[in-house]
């Protein structure tokens, strides 16, 4: 191996690692890799952008448009709507039908589009049949992925394999040359999911009925978190707006609606004005709010001069660092019982130059964290055994005095009197750290969770003072008893939707995207990876496949049906489709197939013609065409293609081919095919299959030459194996799309997908040479 080849392998290895970890966007990783390859001399600047004019890229782009036309004209919807009438509500027939229907659709559609268009139908079918979402959505995505292997245009790996063969002077694969293998993979995959896979699927809870709001409430458990607050006349809130008071944020609740006599204000916005006697229907934790309202009775004051420097006898300040081998590393302060175990009250955690002081009990401790706290002298020995103690006493006290600290006084009528500090949950609810307690002139002492609060106690507190002052600034509110569902009746609709691929919402929080103002609806809960999320939803970055429980009026939920950024899973209104244009979309698809089968035009031009006619006919607008294209996939493939050329020109492909030949060659061509197939599938587990085909194709062609084999079975095997990758959810975007609504975790794909991947790869190794001899 030359230094040049070694450097290329380092660059490609770094690219693959970044592809899998996604520490950078995958398309940006491809761009940066291309830049490095050009500057390193592996790719000529004149050839750097040939990938953008590649027939494979043009075909991919065109197929995205044809898929969009089939979607927007309702062709795909009509297929999904008939499934229930065909098979009823039994699980095995549903799995078979879903996989086969998704497979047929994805033969000429992007598998993401085929999955997305069937998701509402699957949600409805699961609800009617009482089947958990996790029993149906994984088979749906697997069927769509396997169906894409049946045609040349069904999946990027197939397209790229044919394109690379053509560029090397071989006859490219024909449109249906993959069909026998793809149909076998789809059939075997369906059989597996109905037998072994079905037993490995998560059981989950029965699906919610999307056309029934009551069932949605039960599925999400939303009623357990609903209660009412009343604004008494004369409160500071009387006449103020929701936005000005920040009442929801300060009290840790989400305002669902406002009841004002016989009127109801649905999904109130920031400019909504509050009035005396208003009843606020809120979502949150009632017990937490009850304790938080007690905190509002406290009086905030400044720390007297010199108070911090005068702890009681036997109390010291300390700063220490977390060691690599510490037993608390990787745990939160709460999980490891830090205060009880080490008798230390943590005030601050320094990490990478930043100081953390809010909600410290929930902070996961990391190696190198520098912790500032107070403890009794008797506890120092235990600290020195576990941590690297840096300073003790005056120097640590000096640092302590620089922190934001203040005093809370308990008036004699406070409802907190008689409760322990732990029972009050003040630190947990406000995010502040209660350091010490002052009761006499002897100085302050560290406070323990079981310390019972007494009248006129003074609590020494560290943290952001605005966290408590904002709470105190909120006017009087009264916690109401009675039915918590009053206020959900009437014109409000509760619907379920999932974040769509290429959505502008992906990666943004509800606050950043202005979700409530944009849709006129509010997010009550998020269903992600089998868990219901309720807290701090406004600051939760949304991901593709997240299922959102939304509340709004009938008009807002009806408009949601036509939104491109969300897929409506529950029935609230039908998305407008151009059904009259459906014949044009079907005609464009048939024209593409006809042009390719008759040999009149190559696949890239046939697909481009079909896409152009679909737009010309009005089946899809030009703006919609730009939107339906998966630009990330286009840029990724276009930027990675020169890497394959670099492997050839540098001799890296020949080097790898020699290694494959030496290791597997003596065992025969089947062993060579098995090695390449396994490598292709492994590379595709953490990234899209397209890069795996691009990187392995030069190796395949060089290996074929060295062993005097036909390149066709090897290239066919590599392309099919790149799609037969089901061990992680990251191998295909269709898997990511169903991950949230199906309640899946990565381990579910590993458990279900690993046997399936092995079985399908074995089929590829056995079947391909039978039909395409070596």
């Amino acid at each position: 191996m030359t230094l040049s080849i070694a450097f290329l392998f380092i660059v490609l290895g770094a690219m693959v690692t970044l592809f899998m970890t996604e520490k950078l966007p995958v398309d940006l990783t491809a761009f940066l890799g291309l830049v490095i390859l050009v500057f390193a001399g592996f790719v000529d600047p004149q050839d750097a952008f040939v990938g953008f004019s590649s027939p494979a890229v043009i075909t991919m782009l065109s197929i995205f448009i044809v898929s969009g036309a089939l979607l927007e004209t309702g062709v795909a919807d009509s297929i999904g709507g008939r499934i229930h009438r065909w098979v009823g509500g039994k699980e095995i027939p549903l799995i078979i039908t879903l996989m086969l229907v998704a497979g047929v659709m994805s033969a000429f559609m992007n598998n993401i589009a085929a999955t997305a268009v069937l998701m509402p139908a699957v949600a409805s079918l699961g609800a009617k049949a009482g089947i958990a979402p996790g029993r149906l959505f994984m088979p749906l995505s697997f069927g769509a992925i396997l169906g894409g292997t049946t045609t040349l245009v069904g999946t990027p790996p197939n397209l790229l394999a044919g394109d690379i063969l053509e560029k090397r002077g071989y006859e490219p694969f024909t449109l249906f040359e993959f069909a026998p293998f793809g149909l076998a993979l789809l059939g075997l995959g369906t059989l597996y999911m109905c037998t072994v896979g079905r037993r490995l699927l998560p059981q989950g809870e029965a699906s919610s009925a999307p056309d029934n709001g009551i069932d949605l409430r039960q599925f999400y458990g939303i009623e357990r978190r609903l209660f009412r607050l009343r604004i008494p006349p004369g409160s500071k809130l009387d006449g103020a707006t929701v936005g000005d008071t920040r009442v929801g944020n300060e009290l840790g609740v989400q305002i669902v609606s406002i009841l004002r006599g016989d009127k109801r204000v649905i999904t109130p916005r920031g400019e909504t004005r509050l009035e005396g006697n208003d009843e606020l229907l809120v979502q949150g934790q009632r017990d937490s709010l009850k304790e938080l309202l007690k905190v509002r009775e406290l009086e905030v004051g400044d720390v007297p001069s010199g108070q911090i420097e005068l702890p009681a006898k036997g109390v010291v300040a300390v700063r220490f660092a977390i060691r690599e081998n510490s037993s608390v590393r990787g745990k939160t302060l709460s999980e490891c019982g830090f205060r009880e175990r080490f008798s230390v009250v943590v005030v601050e955690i320094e990490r990478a130059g930043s100081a953390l002081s809010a909600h410290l009990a929930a902070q996961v401790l990391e190696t190198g964290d520098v912790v500032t706290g107070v403890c009794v002298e008797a506890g120092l020995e235990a600290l020195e055994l576990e941590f690297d103690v840096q300073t003790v006493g005056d120097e640590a006290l000096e640092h302590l005095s620089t922190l934001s600290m203040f005093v809370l006084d308990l008036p004699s009528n406070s409802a907190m009197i008689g409760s322990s500090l732990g029972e009050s949950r003040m630190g947990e609810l406000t995010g502040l750290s209660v350091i010490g307690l002052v009761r006499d002139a002897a100085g302050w002492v560290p406070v323990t969770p079981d310390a019972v609060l007494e009248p006129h106690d003074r609590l020494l507190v560290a943290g952001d003072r605005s966290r408590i002052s904002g709470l105190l600034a909120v006017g009087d509110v009264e916690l109401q008893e009675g039915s918590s569902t009053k206020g959900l009746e009437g014109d409000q609709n509760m619907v379920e939707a999932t974040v769509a691929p290429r959505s502008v919402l992906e990666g943004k929080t509800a606050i950043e995207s202005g979700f409530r103002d944009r849709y006129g609806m509010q997010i009550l809960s998020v269903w992600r990876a089998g868990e219901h999320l309720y807290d701090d939803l406004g600051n939760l970055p949304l991901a593709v496949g997240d299922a959102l429980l939304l509340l709004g009026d009938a008009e807002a939920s009806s408009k949601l049906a036509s939104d491109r950024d969300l897929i409506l899973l529950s029935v609230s209104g039908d998305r407008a489709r151009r059904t009259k244009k459906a014949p044009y979309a079907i005609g464009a698809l048939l024209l593409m197939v006809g042009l390719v089968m008759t040999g009149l035009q190559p696949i890239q031009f046939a697909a481009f013609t079909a896409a152009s006619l679909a737009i010309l006919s009005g089946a899809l607008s030009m703006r919609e065409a730009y939107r339906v294209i998966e630009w990330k996939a286009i840029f990724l493939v276009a930027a990675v293609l020169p890497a394959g050329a670099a492997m050839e020109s540098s001799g890296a492909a020949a080097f790898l081919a020699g290694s494959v030949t030496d290791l597997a060659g003596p065992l025969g061509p089947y062993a060579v095919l098995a090695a390449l197939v396994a490598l292709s599938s492994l590379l595709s587990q953490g990234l899209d299959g397209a890069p795996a085909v691009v990187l392995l194709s030069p190796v395949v062609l060089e290996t074929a030459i060295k062993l005097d084999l036909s390149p066709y079975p090897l290239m066919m095997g590599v392309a099919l194996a790149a799609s037969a990758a089901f061990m992680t959810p990251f191998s295909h975007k269709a898997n990511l799309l169903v991950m949230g609504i199906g309640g899946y975790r990565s381990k579910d794909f590993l458990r279900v997908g690993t046997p399936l991947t092995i079985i399908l790869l074995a089929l590829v190794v056995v079947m391909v040479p039978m039909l395409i001899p070596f």
Side-chain angles (χ1 to χ4, degrees), residues 495-526:
V495 297
E496 192 177 28
T498 189
V499 180
R502 302 179 297 280
S503 172
V504 298
L505 302 174
E506 183 182 4
K508 294 182 179 178
T509 67
I511 293 175
E512 290 170 345
S513 64
F515 194 95
R516 185 177 295 204
D517 292 332
R518 179 186 180 120
Y519 295 107
M521 307 193 79
Q522 59 183 318
I523 304 173
L524 297 183
S525 180
V526 175

Side-chain angles (χ1 to χ4, degrees), residues 401-550:
S401 65
T402 65
L403 305 181
S404 174
M405 304 184 73
F406 54 96
V407 171
L408 293 177
D409 290 324
L410 266 72
S412 57
N413 61 347
S414 172
M416 295 175 64
I417 292 173
S419 300
S420 69
L421 187 64
E423 291 170 341
S424 74
R425 300 169 59 201
M426 185 171 70
E428 172 193 344
L429 298 176
T430 62
L432 302 171
S433 297
V434 182
I435 301 173
L437 178 63
V438 182
R439 280 184 177 159
D440 51 45
W444 57 271
V445 294
V447 65
T448 59
D450 57 358
V452 178
L453 300 175
E454 299 177 1
H456 306 297
D457 274 350
R458 307 193 77 200
L459 301 176
L460 188 60
V461 179
D464 186 354
R465 187 166 180 161
S466 65
R467 291 182 178 273
I468 195 84
S469 58
L471 176 63
L472 299 180
V474 173
D476 293 336
V477 292
E478 299 173 354
L479 194 57
Q480 298 290 98
E481 302 295 335
S483 173
S484 62
T485 58
K486 181 183 177 183
L488 282 182
E489 300 86 355
D491 297 330
Q492 293 190 99
N493 278 7
M494 194 175 287
V495 297
E496 192 177 28
T498 189
V499 180
R502 302 179 297 280
S503 172
V504 298
L505 302 174
E506 183 182 4
K508 294 182 179 178
T509 67
I511 293 175
E512 290 170 345
S513 64
F515 194 95
R516 185 177 295 204
D517 292 332
R518 179 186 180 120
Y519 295 107
M521 307 193 79
Q522 59 183 318
I523 304 173
L524 297 183
S525 180
V526 175
W527 172 253
R528 175 184 291 175
E531 294 184 2
H532 291 115
L533 306 179
Y534 301 103
D535 299 324
D536 202 20
L537 296 180
N539 294 310
L540 177 72
L542 299 177
V544 170
D546 280 350
L548 314 179
L549 181 64
L550 305 174

Side-chain angles (χ1 to χ4, degrees), residues 11-36 636 639-640:
V11 173
L12 295 178
M15 290 174 64
V16 170
T17 301
L18 289 173
F19 282 146
M20 291 183 173
T21 59
E22 291 199 50
K23 291 186 176 180
L24 291 176
V26 291
D27 40 358
L28 177 58
T29 296
F31 286 178
L32 294 175
L34 178 57
V35 169
I36 294 173
L636 172 63
V640 167

